[in-house]
Amino acid sequence: MGRYGKLDYPRLTKTGVGLGIALFIFGAVGAKVALAASSGGQLPGWERTLFFDAEVIGVLLLLFSPIIFGIVMPLTE
């Protein structure tokens, strides 16, 4: 048994990348759709923050999931 138990690193990597892509698309498309649907062309502050944070977290997950679960953690076993 490894140091971290029985972790499935390929599955964790794919899940992290998939979640990152989904969050990024949610943030980008959501901001565009909400902006187009709003009558005055302005989004409330909480919606802009939600969509922006979703995009940022999505990009970070997309970048760091392969590094953490695909390279670093298997090497520390």
Side-chain angles (χ1 to χ4, degrees):
M1 182 175 288
R3 181 176 177 179
Y4 301 112
K6 295 181 98 178
L7 294 177
D8 187 11
Y9 295 119
R11 187 181 62 79
L12 287 171
T13 303
K14 291 174 192 173
T15 303
V17 168
L19 183 62
I21 290 171
L23 276 172
F24 178 76
I25 290 173
F26 168 75
V29 172
K32 297 294 181 194
V33 168
L35 186 61
S38 66
S39 60
Q42 291 255 326
L43 288 175
W46 69 270
E47 284 184 11
R48 282 188 288 166
T49 303
L50 173 75
F51 292 134
F52 178 75
D53 288 348
E55 286 183 60
V56 170
I57 292 171
V59 169
L60 291 175
L61 270 173
L62 186 63
L63 291 175
F64 288 116
S65 287
I67 294 170
I68 300 292
F69 294 118
I71 299 170
V72 174
M73 286 185 70
L75 286 177
T76 59
E77 284 276 332

